Amino acid sequence: MTTTTSARRRIGMSGAAVAVAGALTNGLGYLVPVLGARQLGPGDLGALATVLAIAAIAGVPGVGLQIAVAIHRARTRGAASGRIGWLTAAVCAGAVVVLTPVLSALLDLSPAVTLLLAVYTGAVVVAGRWLGELQGDERFLRLALGMAVLAVGRYAGLIAGLLLGAGLTGSVLAGTAVTLLIPPVLAHLARSRVDASGGHGITARQVLTACSATLAMLVVSYADLILARHLLPADASGGYAVGTVLTKGALWAPQVVTVLALPRLAQGNRRALMIALGLVAGCGALLVAASALAGGLAFRLAGGTDYVGLGRYAPVFAATGALYALVFVLVNAQVAAGARWPSAPLWAATVGLIVVAEWVVPHTFTAILWCAVGTAVVALALTALATRRGGAQPVP
């Protein structure tokens, strides 16, 4: 009994620490554009938003790298990951460098800013290597600390530059300089007595599979927001954007469960999958119920008093996010089990949403909203079917 209680306490502390680190990341990420709006002119503010968007997209492989390394380390203690980590970072940074002329011409970004962004991207992406090692080894308290280091490293320099009035280029320069501290700090934090050269190294295919799944998850969960911007009048698309804040909250709030469960999923632990699904479903149900009871307040907090009247739609937005949270668990379970195309159901659901929203249903707020929740249902059903067919045993 004492051992069980101690284990539960340890898991609870780990979950709380990871959740706090995730909240810190989101908070600092939100603070950058808020400060930018107060410190920069309209042109530079738009450029800063573009830089942040490119960094977010280019940083997706870092998340995929972390997932792939965590799965591999959970199966093979001390498995090598250094080579693939640096290679992934180099490819991502190189892609930004190659695209520098295009980004400069199309998005009106100076070559200096885009080259700094390439270095920034490489430092952020390679961090996934050490975070994956910590996650795969189930050193969750250190993982939470590593996540905090990454969050501070990504945003502290940018924030300092904006507060000091360094302008766009100066702020990006400060941000890039600080990100260069991330790799050595995480390398020190993730050091282990286990021989890091042991076991078989992780392959590029494993990283690509995890990256594809991560990208597909982001695309399918953001597609309705982009479609609303494209198909609805400005006022309606603005209201829809406020509603998607609830969707994203319901999607990301329980993700700490997946972080803690992933190493066990990599070992084919079916019970861990069932527990993770139960916890995420329970969290989603609570958020949907809260949205139903206080939809107006939710919209007020997310967008202000102008959007209180849309509160009746709050439960639908929250339900969409809650469904995608379950999809996220199942997709990670498939990646952990070695599925070849875990992202396929998500890409299929995305294509279906685009076709239906663009050419089948009326271009109205409610039509797109119900298309979004319907897409989430379809994505969950297809992913659940693929998971059931694939089984829970990891594939080498």
Side-chain angles (χ1 to χ4, degrees):
M1 177 66 90
T2 303
T3 302
T4 302
T5 302
S6 176
R8 289 177 177 174
R9 185 181 296 113
R10 185 171 61 254
I11 292 173
M13 290 177 59
S14 299
V18 171
V20 169
L24 175 65
T25 301
N26 293 330
L28 291 177
Y30 177 76
L31 183 59
V32 172
V34 170
L35 288 175
R38 289 159 174 77
Q39 299 290 334
L40 302 175
D44 281 349
L45 177 60
L48 176 63
T50 302
V51 166
L52 293 175
I54 295 172
I57 295 169
V60 168
V63 180
L65 175 65
Q66 177 182 340
I67 293 172
V69 171
I71 291 170
H72 198 61
R73 291 277 290 206
R75 295 180 192 163
T76 308
R77 296 295 181 184
S81 59
R83 182 178 180 181
I84 195 65
W86 291 112
L87 177 61
T88 304
V91 169
C92 294
V96 177
V97 171
V98 170
L99 292 174
T100 292
V102 177
L103 296 175
S104 300
L106 294 181
L107 302 177
D108 196 23
L109 295 176
S110 71
V113 168
T114 50
L115 290 175
L116 287 171
L117 181 59
V119 178
Y120 179 99
T121 297
V124 170
V125 169
V126 77
R129 169 206 169 172
W130 293 290
L131 295 181
E133 290 178 1
L134 292 170
Q135 185 179 1
D137 294 342
E138 299 187 63
R139 293 187 285 170
F140 294 121
L141 292 178
R142 287 202 171 208
L143 172 63
L145 183 56
M147 292 169 62
V149 167
L150 177 59
V152 172
R154 286 178 67 177
Y155 299 119
L158 288 170
I159 292 171
L162 291 171
L163 288 175
L164 293 173
L168 174 65
T169 303
S171 297
V172 175
L173 175 61
T176 302
V178 174
T179 60
L180 293 177
L181 300 175
I182 294 174
V185 173
L186 288 184
H188 177 74
L189 184 65
R191 70 191 188 284
S192 173
R193 294 178 181 176
V194 179
D195 182 9
S197 64
H200 297 289
I202 188 172
T203 66
R205 176 180 170 274
Q206 291 171 296
V207 176
L208 287 173
T209 299
C211 288
S212 174
T214 303
L215 179 61
M217 191 68 231
L218 290 175
V219 170
V220 73
S221 62
Y222 277 92
D224 63 315
L225 174 61
I226 297 171
L227 286 168
R229 177 67 178 174
H230 170 57
L231 299 174
L232 299 180
D235 290 346
S237 67
Y240 197 96
V242 173
T244 58
V245 173
L246 305 181
T247 301
K248 299 306 173 287
L251 168 58
W252 297 115
Q255 291 315 310
V256 61
V257 175
T258 307
V259 171
L260 298 180
L262 186 62
R264 302 301 175 92
L265 297 178
Q267 297 163 7
N269 191 322
R270 190 75 179 180
R271 183 169 178 267
L273 176 59
M274 294 298 103
I275 291 174
L277 288 172
L279 290 173
V280 171
C283 179
L286 287 175
L287 292 173
V288 171
S291 297
L293 293 173
L297 177 60
F299 265 85
R300 181 193 296 272
L301 293 174
T305 56
D306 292 342
Y307 301 100
V308 173
L310 298 175
R312 62 187 181 279
Y313 298 114
V316 185
F317 280 106
T320 303
L323 290 168
Y324 279 132
L326 291 170
V327 172
F328 192 80
V329 176
L330 292 174
V331 168
N332 275 271
Q334 286 195 70
V335 175
R340 188 172 294 274
W341 301 109
S343 61
L346 305 184
W347 292 120
T350 302
V351 172
L353 172 61
I354 294 172
V355 170
V356 172
E358 185 78 45
W359 291 290
V360 178
V361 303
H363 296 168
T364 63
F365 183 102
T366 53
I368 294 178
L369 177 57
W370 286 110
C371 282
V373 72
T375 301
V377 171
V378 170
L380 178 59
L382 293 176
T383 308
L385 181 61
T387 303
R388 183 177 181 181
R389 287 180 173 176
Q393 295 301 319
V395 179

